[in-house]
Amino acid sequence: MIGAGTMGAGIGLCFARAGYEVTLFSKTRAGLDRAARHVERSLDLFVSEGGLSSGLADAAKKRIRYTTQLKKALSDAQFVIESVPERLQLKKDLFRKMETYCASDSILATNTSGLSITAIASACAHPERVIGLHWANPAEFVPLVEVIPGKRTSKKVVDVTYRISEKLGKMPVIIRKEIPGFASNRLQFAVLREALNLVAQGVVSPQDVDRVLKGGVGFRYPWLGALETADLGGLDVFHAIASYLFKELSAADTPPSFFTEIVQSGKLGIKTGAGFYEYEKNSSEAILNKRDRFFVRQLKTMKEISEL
Ligand SMILES: NC(=O)c1ccc[n+]([C@@H]2O[C@H](COP(=O)([O-])OP(=O)(O)OC[C@H]3O[C@@H](n4cnc5c(N)ncnc54)[C@H](O)[C@@H]3O)[C@@H](O)[C@H]2O)c1
């Protein structure tokens, strides 16, 4: 696992829980210490919510090694995931090195949020073994992973990546065309665009946008997707509504000015203590813990229901 930040630690943990030996690489020792604390905290949550025995949690923890040496991390790796900052040149440089240090049959995956897999793979002599594997934050709790073949990725690499994702207990989806934002960010940002539009037009407050999503539209989403919801509601009804409503929805191609102003004023959300909401000093750890506890419970319920 190359990169042990917000995403890398959680991704590494998923592999360790599934029985794989994992090496987490970060540029700094401090980054590795943070990753180890992240792993420990998430395992504690799985155990305290009854989703994992402490014996299995301990075994998972022992399967993770930590290093600041790239060559050491890569030399015996069969499946590598890169999750370093979202800069094309940085990723290309890294993939070039990965190819040199790794065995010739290892798979090289990137957790890019939206850069072209084909562009990243262009740095490699063997682009057929490069693939996108896009996780959602927090990676150890959210089931979805998007499997994104580049133009030259081999079918075998796609199949193996899909099967490994299933083995991790994830919910893989193949993205059949390389398209910016893949599928999950396109859906997420389509909702965000309309949410911002409703606030900008003064239709509802920021708090109420979130209430509409959590109490209504989003309440159904863990169990019914958008298309299942339409099927159950009646496609004639949904078609009639789409016919007059689509043209009313925001088609803005830039963020609304009030959003830009908030960002420019330094309000970046929980990490700066304010965003659309205000956060009390030193409250972020408790808020993220609460979020993750809820996610573990939701994951457990989803698994129980799908086993029925
Ligand atoms: N944060 C999210 O919600 C999220 C979700 C899905 C995908 N992603 C994608 O995952 C990737 C990583 O995001 P993150 O939020 O985990 O970042 P992060 O900043 O938390 O972690 C980055 C990691 O990369 C390492 N790193 C930094 N510069 C490096 C370099 N020059 N060479 C090698 N390693 C270096 C750091 O040591 C750190 O371990 C990005 O491509 C991002 O778009 C992020």
Side-chain angles (χ1 to χ4, degrees):
M1 186 69 233
I2 305 304
T6 306
M7 298 304 293
I11 297 171
L13 174 55
C14 291
F15 278 80
R17 276 199 62 186
Y20 293 97
E21 295 295 327
V22 175
T23 306
L24 272 182
F25 162 87
S26 173
K27 270 194 349 179
T28 62
R29 188 43 57 189
L32 291 180
D33 291 345
R34 267 195 306 277
R37 282 198 301 276
H38 179 148
V39 164
E40 187 109 12
R41 192 179 68 85
S42 293
L43 282 171
D44 285 350
L45 262 183
F46 277 120
V47 171
S48 68
E49 288 299 325
L52 187 68
S53 74
S54 48
L56 286 176
D58 247 18
K61 202 159 66 183
K62 287 196 183 113
R63 280 187 211 108
I64 305 179
R65 280 170 296 166
Y66 297 85
T67 183
T68 53
Q69 293 171 46
L70 187 63
K71 200 171 177 178
K72 195 169 152 199
L74 294 171
S75 58
D76 60 353
Q78 292 174 294
F79 193 94
V80 182
I81 304 181
E82 163 279 310
S83 191
V84 303
E86 188 80 340
R87 297 198 301 274
L88 180 61
Q89 197 52 50
L90 171 63
K91 291 191 191 274
K92 282 171 79 170
D93 291 345
L94 203 51
F95 269 76
R96 203 170 290 123
K97 282 187 199 152
M98 277 156 58
E99 199 170 43
T100 326
Y101 296 149
C102 288
S104 58
D105 59 350
S106 53
I107 292 177
L108 309 180
T110 171
N111 179 37
T112 177
S113 299
L115 296 172
S116 154
I117 310 305
T118 304
I120 294 171
S122 69
C124 293
H126 292 285
E128 65 276 7
R129 62 166 158 153
V130 176
I131 190 160
L133 186 60
H134 179 231
W135 302 63
N137 183 27
E140 60 273 52
F141 304 124
V142 185
L144 177 72
V145 289
E146 292 176 294
V147 176
I148 312 118
K151 283 203 173 71
R152 299 181 60 189
T153 310
S154 75
K155 186 175 176 314
K156 186 176 165 215
V157 165
V158 177
D159 290 346
V160 172
T161 304
Y162 191 94
R163 279 205 309 274
I164 288 179
S165 305
E166 283 184 322
K167 222 180 137 190
L168 302 180
K170 289 290 172 186
M171 191 193 275
V173 167
I174 301 226
I175 302 299
R176 295 187 199 155
K177 282 184 183 173
E178 256 195 291
I179 173 172
F182 313 136
S184 64
N185 272 334
R186 289 181 88 92
L187 290 166
Q188 179 172 226
F189 279 80
V191 171
L192 180 65
R193 177 164 65 180
E194 190 53 38
L196 293 168
N197 178 43
L198 288 170
V199 173
Q201 287 196 45
V203 179
V204 277
S205 65
Q207 289 78 1
D208 280 348
V209 156
D210 283 345
R211 281 163 65 85
V212 169
L213 285 167
K214 290 192 282 191
V217 181
F219 180 82
R220 295 185 285 245
Y221 278 173
W223 322 110
L224 291 175
L227 305 183
E228 285 171 320
T229 299
D231 258 4
L232 299 198
L235 292 189
D236 50 340
V237 179
F238 274 71
H239 189 270
I241 298 170
S243 302
Y244 68 77
L245 198 53
F246 275 9
K247 61 179 178 298
E248 305 291 335
L249 301 178
S250 172
D253 58 8
T254 53
S257 54
F258 88 95
F259 183 30
T260 308
E261 281 157 23
I262 292 177
V263 172
Q264 282 173 350
S265 74
K267 292 183 173 179
L268 306 181
I270 200 166
K271 64 185 171 188
T272 59
F276 293 116
Y277 298 87
E278 301 283 327
Y279 299 92
E280 280 174 28
K281 219 172 168 215
N282 301 324
S283 65
S284 70
E285 196 174 327
I287 290 171
L288 294 179
N289 262 326
K290 197 170 161 192
R291 173 198 73 175
D292 291 350
R293 188 168 295 282
F294 180 82
F295 284 159
V296 179
R297 290 180 187 170
Q298 181 163 312
L299 192 56
K300 232 177 109 190
T301 313
M302 280 179 99
K303 288 203 165 143
E304 278 162 15
I305 287 180
S306 64
E307 275 162 21
L308 288 177

